[in-house]
């Protein structure tokens, strides 16, 4: 790695992490197939998972170190903003697929569903009970994470950002637990017609994103505690806030469509 | 004996570095581009071998060669996936893009070198999984479109379909990571004079491709995930028994699949712009702004025409009317591009280099493929031509003679830049002639077959089709032979070691001028921002080599 005062971007030296991430992704893919075909290999899955976690952890550690040393010029940070925005665009398109599936079935339910949505026999969740609480959790978490960001921008490194972040993380965790409880008590399964399929696919993938977002918020909390952010330079924190807003916007859309508009209540 | 170069004369290549740090842990855009080129060539040769198997089977009526119709379907499926995901995309987007983008935008490397390496290393892993799917159980015989119900449990009950799905996940992830890298590089890295509308057309073609990938790849990911769920987790997304709809998968697949064909051809457009400009000896392509917006228009429209692949599934007439019309509209920006290239060539002393042969061949044959495309875009016409060899002929004219001619054009033009040695010019032209004859003999008769009703994806046919099938198979043997001849040319260029003396281009061609007459260029060509000057009309970029400020 060489530093040149006239260059805007830096080129990191050789890094083993991308190679190992790719190899372990392959291992996890093969492990998944073996598991689906009833010949699970916990050794392969476990080793791949550990390799994946260690590699990504080390990769991000390297990135944070490079930022600490000062490689992240304002040009690099600007490119990171575009990168995260494009990543979130790809995630939006991923959910677009599942919302398309939802609309395809909900707007013109087939004869097998009695041409009704939700199909007869499905006892749909009440949009004003658990799911309303979940919506409230995510919307308020969005407010708290904004408060954390604002306090950070106002050079409050002691109390404000901590309170905001901790409350957001608690909201995310409670959301996850409440959703598990909702899954447990739901009267229908993923195999109960395409309604069950779409419902669990949408809420399940959203729930996975909540988990990832919560972990990212926790990482930001640790970095905040270690004093790695300042009022001007905290893009890691900001990216995690963007991601969190993406997660709660998807939930609000999901709640409005799946639970309220097409909820059949 | 070769003169030993001093370390500083070797452009960064003299540093003692273990091979795995250079090739496995690489953060260098040139090395990663080279890796992509190797994998892509491997995939291309494998895919071409499969196509030769298909044509050998179809040369005569009856199951004479492959014996098993299932295996024939597996060969067809793997041929398509191999050519799309492991030959054309790695070479045209990733290999050329990696080599050229940093040179053309005046950057030191790609903007995220480690992500670049992740993008590369996911692709051989995906390739491994594709080969696993090819050789596990009985293989996937569902076509590259993997439509349900053929791709779900009762018809593909073995693990090969699941392996294919995760292979596509990894290949998609690889493209997605690469696309984010390219999009961000092209947006942020260029020197000020080369941003926005002033970008090089090649750079812009990669940008549009990257955005199309970011928009469409996740939709494929979602669709095949739902197939995985239908196969393994008791869902009924595409199963009418539970109220699902197989047509939904076709929508999702083609929402990805149609942008995908532009993903394959747009980088070839970029190559054409560079090569035609170079061979015309002009400073810019004719109608630069028109070209820029034609490319963006093709990308945008390309996302809104997907259902023209599904005219026979029972869409209503209004829907088919819309998709016919929208598809025909794409002919307009494409025409803008073709005529702008012709206008670029007009009035110049066109240097008939081997790359110029390929680019003129591209212009002619891509236009032929485009015209049959206009014919097929009409829903009423498509109903009778759907799933016939007419469609096969159409998309091979635009891909096998569009995208693949783009690959050869780029290799002829830039391999001297990448490797530092030149092809034998006369023999390269002979290679073009052989290939041109081969592919046209293969695919032109397929129009006749299609018009007389020969359906796609069958290993056997009525005797009446035998004659044109024989001609087609003969052409396929010729093109395969010319491919082997190209391998010989590559070997000949490498052993003869004819160095590059002069690029023959103007000084504004930063891919050539930027390396300061050193081919291949040093590891990171621009150690700092290059000095770039544009003329008052922004039609021309001149790269000026000055001594670095800190030297």
């Amino acid at each position: 790695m060489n530093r040149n005062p006239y260059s805007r971007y830096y080129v990191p030296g050789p890094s083993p992490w991308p190679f190992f991430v790719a190899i372990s992704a392959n291992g996890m893919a093969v492990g998944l197939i073996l598991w689906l075909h009833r010949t699970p290999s916990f050794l392969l899955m476990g080793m791949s998972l550990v390799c994946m976690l260690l590699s990504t952890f080390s990769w991000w550690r390297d990135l944070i170190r490079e930022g600490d040393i000062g490689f992240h010029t304002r040009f690099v940070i600007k490119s990171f903003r575009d990168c995260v925005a494009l990543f979130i665009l790809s995630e939006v398109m991923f959910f677009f697929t599942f919302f398309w599936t939802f609309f395809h079935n909900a707007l013109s339910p087939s004869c097998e569903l009695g041409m009704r949505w939700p199909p007869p026999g499905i006892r749909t969740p009440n949009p004003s009970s658990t799911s309303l609480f979940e919506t409230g959790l995510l919307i308020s978490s969005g407010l708290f994470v904004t408060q954390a960001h604002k306090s950070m921008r106002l050079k409050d490194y002691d109390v404000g950002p901590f309170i905001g972040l901790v409350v957001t993380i608690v909201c995310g965790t409670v959301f996850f637990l409440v959703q598990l409880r909702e899954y447990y008590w739901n009267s229908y399964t993923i195999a109960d017609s395409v309604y069950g399929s779409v419902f669990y696919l949408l809420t399940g993938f959203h729930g996975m994103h909540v988990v990832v977002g919560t972990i990212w918020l926790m990482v930001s909390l640790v970095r905040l505690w270690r004093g790695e952010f300042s009022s001007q330079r905290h893009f890691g924190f900001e990216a995690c806030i963007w991601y969190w807003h993406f997660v709660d916007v998807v939930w609000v859309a999901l709640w409005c469509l799946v639970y309220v508009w097409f909820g059949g209540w | 004996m070769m003169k030993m170069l001093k370390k500083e004369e070797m452009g960064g290549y003299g540093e003692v570095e273990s091979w795995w740090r250079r090739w496995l842990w690489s953060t260098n855009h040139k090395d990663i581009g080279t890796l992509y080129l190797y994998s892509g060539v491997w995939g291309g040769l494998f895919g071409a071998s499969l196509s030769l198997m298909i044509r050998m089977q179809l040369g005569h009526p009856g199951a004479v060669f492959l014996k098993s119709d299932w295996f024939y379907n597996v060969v067809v499926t793997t041929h398509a996936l191999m050519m799309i995901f492991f030959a054309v995309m790695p070479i045209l987007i990733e290999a050329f893009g990696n080599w050229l983008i940093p040179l053309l935008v005046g950057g030191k490397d790609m903007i995220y070198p480690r992500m670049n390496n992740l993008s590369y290393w996911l692709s051989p892993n995906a390739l491994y999984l594709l080969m696993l799917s090819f050789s596990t159980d009985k293989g996937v015989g569902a076509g590259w479109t993997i439509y349900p119900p053929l791709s779900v449990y009762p018809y593909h009950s073995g693990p090969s379909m699941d392996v294919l799905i995760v292979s596509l996940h990894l290949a998609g992830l690889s493209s997605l990571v690469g696309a984010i890298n390219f999009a961000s590089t092209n947006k942020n890295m260029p020197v000020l004079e080369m941003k926005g509308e002033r970008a090089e057309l090649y750079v812009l073609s990669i940008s549009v491709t990257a955005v199309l990938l970011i928009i469409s790849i996740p939709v494929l990911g979602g669709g095949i995930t739902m197939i995985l769920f239908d196969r393994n987790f008791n869902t009924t997304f595409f199963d009418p028994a539970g109220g699902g709809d197989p047509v939904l998968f076709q929508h999702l697949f083609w929402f990805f699949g149609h942008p995908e064909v532009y993903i394959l051809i747009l980088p070839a457009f970029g190559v054409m712009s560079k090569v035609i400009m170079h061979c015309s000896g002009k400073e810019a392509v004719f109608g630069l702004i028109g070209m820029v917006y034609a490319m963006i228009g093709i990308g945008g429209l390309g996302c809104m025409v997907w259902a023209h692949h599904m005219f026979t599934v029972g869409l209503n007439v209004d829907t088919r009317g819309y998709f016919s019309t929208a598809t025909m509209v794409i002919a307009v920006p494409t025409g803008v591009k073709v005529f702008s290239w012709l206008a670029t060539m007009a009035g110049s002393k066109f240097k008939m280099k081997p790359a110029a042969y390929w680019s003129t061949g591209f212009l002619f044959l891509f236009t032929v493929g485009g015209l049959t495309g206009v014919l097929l875009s009409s829903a009423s016409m498509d109903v009778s031509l759907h799933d016939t060899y007419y469609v096969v002929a159409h998309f091979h004219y635009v891909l096998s003679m569009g995208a693949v001619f783009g690959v050869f054009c780029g290799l002829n033009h830039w391999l001297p830049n990448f490797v530092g040695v030149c092809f034998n010019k006369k023999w390269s032209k002979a290679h073009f002639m052989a290939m041109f004859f081969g592919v046209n003999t293969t695919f032109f008769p397929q129009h006749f077959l299609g018009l007389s009703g020969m359906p796609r994806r069958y290993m056997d046919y009525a005797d009446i089709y035998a004659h044109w099938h024989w001609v087609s198979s003969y052409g396929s043997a010729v093109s395969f032979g010319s491919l082997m001849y190209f391998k010989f040319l590559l070997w000949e260029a490498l052993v003869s070691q004819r160095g590059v003396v002069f690029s023959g281009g103007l000084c504004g061609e930063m891919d050539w001028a930027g390396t300061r007459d050193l081919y291949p260029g040093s590891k990171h060509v621009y150690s700092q921002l290059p000095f770039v000057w544009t003329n008052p009309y922004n039609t021309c970029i001149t790269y000026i080599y000055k001594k670095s400020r800190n030297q």
Side-chain angles (χ1 to χ4, degrees):
Chain A
M1 196 148 13
N2 60 335
R3 293 186 70 180
N4 181 332
Y6 294 100
S7 86
R8 300 166 296 169
Y9 301 97
Y10 72 104
V11 182
S15 166
W17 314 129
F19 178 77
F20 287 118
V21 167
I23 293 283
S24 48
N26 188 342
M28 285 166 79
V30 174
L32 172 73
I33 304 305
L34 291 176
W35 174 60
L36 292 178
H37 288 271
R38 294 166 188 78
T39 47
S41 162
F42 293 109
L43 187 66
L44 178 65
M45 280 293 258
M47 277 172 60
S48 307
L49 190 66
V50 169
C51 179
M52 172 74 87
L53 291 176
L54 285 177
S55 310
T56 46
F57 179 83
S58 314
W59 190 341
W60 284 319
R61 180 206 62 191
D62 285 0
L63 194 69
I64 290 169
R65 281 180 182 174
E66 285 154 16
D68 289 347
I69 297 168
F71 284 117
H72 292 176
T73 62
R74 66 191 168 91
F75 299 99
V76 173
I77 295 294
K78 184 169 167 292
S79 85
F80 284 170
R81 301 175 84 85
D82 293 339
C83 181
V84 173
L86 289 169
F87 166 68
I88 290 178
L89 173 66
S90 76
E91 290 272 37
V92 168
M93 292 312 292
F94 189 63
F95 276 96
F96 170 82
T97 316
F98 303 133
F99 279 113
W100 186 341
T101 308
F102 178 78
F103 277 121
H104 189 93
N105 292 299
L107 290 176
S108 60
S110 66
C111 302
E112 286 81 358
L113 300 178
M115 307 189 87
R116 279 164 61 198
W117 191 271
I122 296 272
R123 266 216 329 264
T124 54
N126 185 346
S128 59
S129 68
T130 317
S131 60
L132 182 65
F133 175 57
E134 289 173 324
T135 312
L137 272 177
L138 281 192
I139 289 179
S140 51
S141 78
L143 296 177
F144 274 103
V145 88
T146 305
Q147 175 260 316
H149 192 207
K150 282 280 178 204
S151 343
M152 166 77 72
R153 295 293 296 266
L154 294 171
K155 298 197 167 114
D156 172 2
Y157 304 131
D158 302 323
V159 191
F162 282 99
I163 294 177
L165 257 182
V166 169
V167 174
T168 312
I169 291 166
V170 168
C171 286
T173 316
V174 172
F175 179 93
F176 176 68
L177 295 174
V178 169
Q179 200 175 26
L180 282 188
R181 182 185 165 281
E182 190 196 350
Y183 277 12
Y184 184 76
W185 289 108
N186 265 350
S187 63
Y188 49 91
T189 70
I190 198 168
D192 283 324
S193 88
V194 73
Y195 180 90
S197 304
V198 173
F199 178 87
Y200 285 106
L201 194 78
L202 265 175
T203 53
F205 269 115
H206 175 265
M208 277 161 63
H209 282 74
V210 169
V211 172
V212 170
T214 310
I215 292 171
W216 197 350
L217 287 165
M218 287 173 180
V219 172
S220 291
L221 184 65
V222 171
R223 294 189 63 197
L224 182 69
W225 181 65
R226 286 163 56 94
E228 293 179 19
F229 297 134
S230 75
S231 62
Q232 297 303 313
R233 301 183 58 87
H234 50 258
F235 181 67
F237 183 37
E238 211 172 312
C240 131
I241 294 171
W242 290 358
Y243 191 79
W244 191 252
H245 283 315
F246 154 72
V247 168
D248 64 38
V249 166
V250 168
W251 175 261
V252 171
L254 200 160
W255 181 69
C256 289
L257 291 169
V258 178
Y259 287 88
V260 181
W261 187 8
F262 292 101
W265 46 286
Chain B
M1 196 181 143
M2 265 174 72
K3 179 185 160 245
M4 291 301 285
L5 293 172
K6 273 184 264 159
K7 190 179 161 190
E8 56 270 24
E9 289 176 311
M10 295 183 72
Y13 282 107
E15 286 160 35
V16 181
E17 203 171 43
S18 40
W19 64 267
W20 65 87
R21 278 171 70 84
R22 179 166 176 198
W23 296 108
L24 267 49
W25 302 3
S26 179
T27 48
N28 178 282
H29 69 105
K30 295 192 179 67
D31 288 346
I32 294 172
T34 306
L35 288 169
Y36 260 121
L37 197 59
Y38 286 152
S39 319
V41 167
W42 191 90
L45 289 173
F46 192 87
S49 315
L50 293 172
S51 76
L52 193 68
M53 285 167 76
I54 297 169
R55 285 317 317 173
M56 279 172 75
Q57 165 56 38
L58 292 172
H60 294 279
V64 288
F65 176 58
L66 291 181
K67 307 286 191 289
S68 146
D69 51 355
W70 182 279
F71 185 61
Y72 176 82
N73 290 341
V74 174
V75 170
V76 169
T77 307
T78 314
H79 163 70
L81 290 167
M82 194 61 87
M83 285 300 197
I84 293 166
F85 288 101
F86 300 102
V88 172
M89 281 171 72
I91 298 180
L92 212 46
I93 307 174
E94 313 278 359
F96 288 164
N98 263 313
W99 264 93
L100 297 170
I101 293 286
L103 289 176
L104 291 173
V105 300
K108 199 193 281 182
D109 201 289
M110 294 293 287
I111 206 158
Y112 313 121
R114 275 174 301 215
M115 257 171 70
N116 202 10
N117 200 29
L118 176 64
S119 162
Y120 173 69
W121 280 108
L122 281 170
S123 100
N125 282 298
L127 180 57
Y128 160 74
L129 289 170
L130 178 65
M131 298 310 295
L132 198 62
S133 134
F134 183 66
S135 49
T136 304
D137 197 37
K138 290 187 293 179
V140 169
W144 83 288
T145 51
I146 51 171
Y147 283 169
L150 187 53
S151 57
V152 291
Y153 217 73
Y155 308 100
H156 275 84
S157 41
S160 52
M161 178 59 83
D162 297 311
V163 178
L164 176 68
I165 286 171
V166 290
S167 162
L168 288 178
H169 272 125
L170 288 200
L173 205 55
S174 156
S175 312
L176 190 65
V177 171
I180 291 177
N181 201 355
F182 278 123
S184 187
T185 306
N186 293 349
K187 180 168 177 293
N188 293 301
M189 225 177 207
V191 295
L192 189 62
E193 291 81 352
M194 301 174 73
K195 284 193 169 175
E197 282 176 352
R198 305 191 204 172
E200 285 242 21
L201 284 174
Y202 180 79
V203 176
L204 187 82
S205 77
I206 297 290
S207 303
V208 176
T209 305
V211 172
L212 287 182
L213 276 167
I214 293 166
I215 288 174
S216 66
I217 286 279
V219 179
L220 173 74
I224 58 179
T225 302
M226 284 189 269
I227 288 195
L228 199 71
F229 273 61
D230 268 10
R231 291 171 55 78
N232 297 292
F233 299 113
N234 290 329
T235 57
T236 49
F237 294 110
F238 308 127
D239 184 358
D245 185 3
V247 174
L248 172 65
F249 181 78
Q250 301 194 14
H251 278 294
L252 296 175
F253 182 85
W254 288 113
F255 187 84
F256 149 79
H258 198 77
E260 174 69 19
V261 304
Y262 290 102
I263 287 161
L264 296 173
I265 201 65
L266 281 172
F269 284 179
V271 171
M272 290 308 135
S273 296
K274 287 293 286 179
V275 170
I276 289 173
M277 190 178 88
H278 178 93
C279 295
S280 309
K282 291 192 176 179
E283 291 168 334
V285 174
F286 178 87
L288 200 60
I289 298 298
M291 290 291 256
V292 167
Y293 285 100
M295 196 121 65
I296 294 170
I298 291 172
L301 283 168
C303 292
M304 298 189 282
V305 295
W306 72 90
H308 66 214
H309 298 267
M310 313 160 44
F311 279 148
T312 55
V313 293
L315 299 177
N316 66 45
V317 173
D318 288 351
T319 310
R320 282 188 275 176
Y322 160 72
F323 280 106
S324 292
T325 317
T327 308
M328 285 177 197
V329 171
I330 294 192
V332 177
T334 316
V336 168
K337 294 197 72 69
V338 170
F339 285 110
S340 294
W341 285 321
L342 291 174
T344 310
M345 291 162 73
S348 71
K349 184 172 184 327
F350 198 68
K351 280 175 285 203
M352 285 309 274
K353 295 179 163 188
Y357 278 62
W358 289 104
S359 59
T360 43
F362 172 94
L363 283 189
F364 173 38
L365 298 180
F366 181 79
T367 306
V368 172
L371 291 175
T372 54
V374 176
L375 215 73
L376 287 170
S377 72
S378 164
S380 45
M381 190 79 180
D382 184 73
V383 167
S384 60
L385 290 176
H386 184 91
D387 264 350
T388 67
Y389 264 67
Y390 197 84
V391 179
V392 177
H394 157 69
F395 69 73
H396 280 93
Y397 260 82
V398 289
L399 293 180
S400 176
M401 288 165 240
V404 174
F405 272 35
V407 168
F408 281 116
C409 187
L411 283 177
N412 271 286
H413 187 58
W414 280 303
L415 211 68
N417 189 330
F418 298 169
V419 188
V421 295
C422 299
F423 285 111
N424 182 318
K425 270 190 188 168
K426 199 168 277 181
W427 291 355
S428 290
K429 290 173 185 174
H431 168 234
F432 167 77
M433 292 300 179
M435 192 66 132
F436 188 86
F437 175 76
V439 287
N440 278 295
T441 313
T442 310
F443 294 112
F444 207 74
Q446 294 186 0
H447 290 113
F448 312 147
L449 288 168
L451 284 171
S452 47
M454 169 74 204
R456 287 171 76 178
R457 292 175 173 154
Y458 281 87
M459 75 180 306
D460 200 359
Y461 47 80
D463 290 353
I464 191 170
Y465 301 120
H467 178 66
W468 287 121
H469 264 309
W470 183 85
V471 174
S472 180
S473 294
Y474 170 75
S476 154
V478 173
S479 23
F480 196 81
S482 62
L483 198 62
M484 296 300 107
Y485 181 51
F486 181 72
K487 285 174 72 181
F488 162 73
L489 288 182
L490 206 54
W491 171 81
E492 194 272 341
L494 289 172
V495 294
S496 298
Q497 291 285 313
R498 287 176 295 270
V500 188
V501 180
F502 173 51
S503 77
L506 298 174
C507 60
E509 292 184 14
M510 290 174 71
D511 44 340
W512 293 95
T515 64
R516 301 167 191 171
D517 298 329
L518 185 70
Y519 308 107
S522 54
K523 260 190 164 178
H524 300 291
V525 164
Y526 306 106
S527 57
Q528 61 179 26
L529 273 180
F531 296 86
V532 169
W533 175 82
T534 49
N535 75 357
Y537 308 103
N538 290 333
T539 55
C540 158
I541 287 159
T542 306
Y543 164 75
I544 303 165
Y545 165 57
K546 279 187 191 168
K547 269 230 177 297
S548 311
R549 277 171 284 190
N550 60 339
Q551 268 179 1

